[in-house]
Amino acid sequence: MVDYDAAVAAVQDPNADPILLAKIAYENPEFGANVAVNPRCYPGLKRWIAEFGDERARETLAQYGFTAEAFGGPVQDQEAPEQAAQQAAEQQPADAYAADQYAAAQQTAADQYAAAQPAVDQYNAAQPAVDQYAAQQPAAQAAFEEPVATNPYGFTAEQALTTTDQMQIAQIAQYAPELRACIARNPNTYPALIEWLGQLGDPAINAALAFRQ
């Protein structure tokens, strides 16, 4: 887990590692609002915070036009319709300002995506080697028994084993503990999460981690 001082330093760093920011948002929800306004907070992380972050983080994103609705994600309305309608009416004068802020944020996200593209190309270039390694492990694959997904969010064992979406990997680890062994076997799982899984002391997870080596 990221300690408090390191988290404070990271959320204030305009050049912070995006994966570290995701780890902080996942392990330290109280920093969600700070992560959300960091210029290195990428769109996928903002979407996750807009849906699963604490109230202060969601309100902070909403001020910039980032909401679960704007991202096309599910919305769980916890307020009465009357209150929602009243808030919508009060929000109307700020809509034009929010639209400008959203457009600026989208441009920043596009620039960050372009900067990250070399790393994506490098990953794609390495994928054939990953596929070859997987083809050489039929016995190990056969010995692995996929757990039964019991989480209410619809995450499946196949998703946990194969997804390349780092934010989805973090969500599965948090909201579908029965699939953590699958996450441990996924070659796309980022190092910080692998380290955290290794600290859980779960035999199935440890066996899955041993498969990676």
Side-chain angles (χ1 to χ4, degrees), residues 23-160:
K23 181 177 173 64
I24 291 172
Y26 169 66
E27 295 183 349
N28 306 83
E30 68 273 16
F31 285 101
N34 305 87
V35 171
V37 299
N38 188 292
R40 298 282 284 172
C41 181
Y42 54 91
L45 179 53
K46 288 181 180 179
R47 175 174 184 169
W48 184 85
I49 295 174
E51 185 173 349
F52 298 106
D54 61 20
E55 182 177 356
R56 188 167 70 92
R58 294 196 303 270
E59 289 178 351
T60 299
L61 280 173
Q63 291 175 3
Y64 291 93
F66 289 89
T67 62
E69 296 100 320
F71 282 115
V75 180
Q76 298 177 353
D77 189 1
Q78 302 296 328
E79 298 177 335
E82 297 86 354
Q83 293 174 313
Q86 181 179 358
Q87 289 187 349
E90 293 172 350
Q91 183 65 26
Q92 286 179 356
D95 282 348
Y97 173 77
D100 292 341
Q101 293 295 316
Y102 179 77
Q106 286 291 83
Q107 183 59 49
T108 299
D111 294 342
Q112 291 175 355
Y113 176 83
Q117 196 59 39
V120 175
D121 295 339
Q122 183 179 5
Y123 169 80
N124 290 335
Q127 194 60 36
V130 175
D131 295 340
Q132 181 179 6
Y133 174 79
Q136 294 172 350
Q137 304 297 321
Q141 289 286 2
F144 176 68
E145 295 184 5
E146 291 187 3
V148 177
T150 58
N151 66 91
Y153 299 97
F155 294 125
T156 66
E158 181 179 358
Q159 283 179 310

Side-chain angles (χ1 to χ4, degrees), residues 155-201:
F155 294 125
T156 66
E158 181 179 358
Q159 283 179 310
L161 285 166
T162 62
T163 181
T164 61
D165 186 329
Q166 298 298 309
M167 207 62 247
Q168 187 176 70
I169 289 174
Q171 290 175 352
I172 293 173
Q174 181 177 8
Y175 296 106
E178 76 278 8
L179 300 180
R180 286 172 180 168
C182 297
I183 288 296
R185 292 170 64 91
N186 188 327
N188 306 300
T189 300
Y190 54 91
L193 183 52
I194 290 296
E195 180 181 354
W196 178 77
L197 289 170
Q199 297 172 357
L200 297 179

